[in-house]
Amino acid sequence: MAGQLAGKIVVVTGAARGLGREFARRLAEEGAAVVAADVRDCAECVADIAAAGGRAIGVALDVTDMGSCASMAKAALDAFGRIDVLVNNAALYGGLKTGRFDTLDEQEWNRVMAVNVTGVWNCCKAVVPAMRERRAGSIVNMASVVALYGMPYTLHYTVSKGAVIALTRALARELGGDWIRVNAIAPTAVMTEGTKEFFGERLDKAASGIAKAQALRRNLAPGDISGTVVYLASDASALVTGQTIAVDGGTVFL
Ligand SMILES: NC(=O)c1ccc[n+]([C@@H]2O[C@H](COP(=O)([O-])OP(=O)(O)OC[C@H]3O[C@@H](n4cnc5c(N)ncnc54)[C@H](O)[C@@H]3O)[C@@H](O)[C@H]2O)c1
């Protein structure tokens, strides 16, 4: 397929649903071959891409397990021969318990850190050697505006996304010598299944409050984020690294 990413090989973690599934679809539309990886089944994501004339494979992945991340990278290399882009999108978000910082469940706290922070580190460790060999690559990490705003009552999630921003900055400096770029995207609430699960019965009230805090006052849909993923994956951002781009309708200004 022709497009801004023609010929690129892209891994998207957490591609079974929500933003990851939309990113996989959009990146394939721009010409990339996509490795859709998730603990959930990615068959529907892969079938949609194939039906639209794109190339994709689905891979079972648990980002908390380094062996699973290594198998994912191997499957990508076996199928397509190289990896140009890694989108670290998998995370625990929908369904997390919210509450005062001192009432959060310790097991859930540890699990959030394992998936949202260690999972990103693991996927980078699995994929960077193949990028380093070719002295080229782009890593796109999903952070969140919660870390920039300091969202209360969900301290584990907020802290995990702050760590993703810090990881992005430090890794950009470590990998610049290998011409591997590392950037992050910080969206405000996007209307995904995860967001519906996160807010539960409070969804309508929360969505309206979030839109009112934006300079551009409407809630975001998954398609509002994918253009920035395409930009960071593409050569249009060849000298952009270590950055966090807020895609939030103008909620915070960096
Ligand atoms: N939706 C939003 O409003 C919003 C806002 C800011 C940031 N984000 C971030 O964007 C990303 C996607 O959000 P979403 O709303 O699509 O969330 P989601 O919960 O719908 O999707 C997350 C995906 O990650 C997968 N996943 C979870 N644990 C995994 C593991 N251990 N290994 C592999 N895959 C795993 C899930 O199966 C799921 O498909 C997340 O990183 C989230 O934190 C979302």
Side-chain angles (χ1 to χ4, degrees), residues 26-241:
R26 180 68 195 280
L27 292 162
E29 194 177 76
E30 290 293 342
V34 173
V35 178
D38 204 302
V39 275
R40 290 186 165 93
D41 186 5
C42 287
E44 284 184 12
C45 170
V46 170
D48 286 352
I49 290 171
R55 285 198 300 164
I57 60 164
V59 175
L61 169 70
D62 179 353
V63 296
T64 66
D65 175 353
M66 190 56 217
S68 175
C69 295
S71 303
M72 172 275 286
K74 185 176 181 311
L77 293 170
D78 287 349
F80 299 118
R82 61 172 207 281
I83 301 169
D84 297 302
V85 180
L86 167 65
V87 183
N88 278 313
N89 166 79
L92 290 185
Y93 165 54
L96 289 180
K97 288 186 214 103
T98 56
R100 275 178 30 191
F101 79 98
D102 50 353
T103 65
L104 295 177
D105 179 72
E106 188 176 341
Q107 263 191 336
E108 191 174 84
W109 175 285
N110 290 335
R111 183 80 191 140
V112 167
M113 297 308 157
V115 177
N116 298 13
V117 184
T118 311
V120 174
W121 180 45
N122 284 344
C123 289
C124 291
K125 282 192 288 178
V127 165
V128 161
M131 291 180 167
R132 195 173 257 149
E133 222 168 79
R134 301 184 56 253
R135 292 182 64 71
S138 172
I139 297 173
V140 182
N141 297 323
M142 289 308 288
S144 169
V145 81
V146 298
L148 304 171
Y149 175 78
M151 190 167 84
Y153 307 119
T154 175
L155 195 68
H156 44 2
Y157 182 69
T158 300
V159 167
S160 75
K161 293 301 180 179
V164 169
I165 293 172
L167 180 152
T168 298
R169 293 175 174 175
L171 204 54
R173 291 195 194 279
E174 280 200 38
L175 297 181
D178 295 306
W179 294 100
I180 300 168
R181 303 183 294 111
V182 191
N183 292 289
I185 299 175
T188 189
V190 185
M191 296 305 125
T192 62
E193 287 153 281
T195 294
K196 285 175 196 154
E197 289 167 10
F198 185 84
F199 287 110
E201 289 171 355
R202 297 173 291 125
L203 178 68
D204 289 346
K205 199 168 168 226
S208 128
I210 288 164
K212 278 191 195 133
Q214 298 171 199
L216 304 166
R217 293 189 171 183
R218 76 156 167 79
N219 289 126
L220 277 75
D224 291 317
I225 312 294
S226 39
T228 306
V229 179
V230 171
Y231 165 68
L232 290 174
S234 78
D235 299 341
S237 58
L239 263 289
V240 177
T241 196

Side-chain angles (χ1 to χ4, degrees), residues 2-23:
Q4 296 179 68
L5 302 175
K8 292 214 188 275
I9 313 302
V10 177
V11 172
V12 182
T13 71
R17 70 172 204 174
L19 289 178
R21 184 162 168 182
E22 160 59 16
F23 297 162

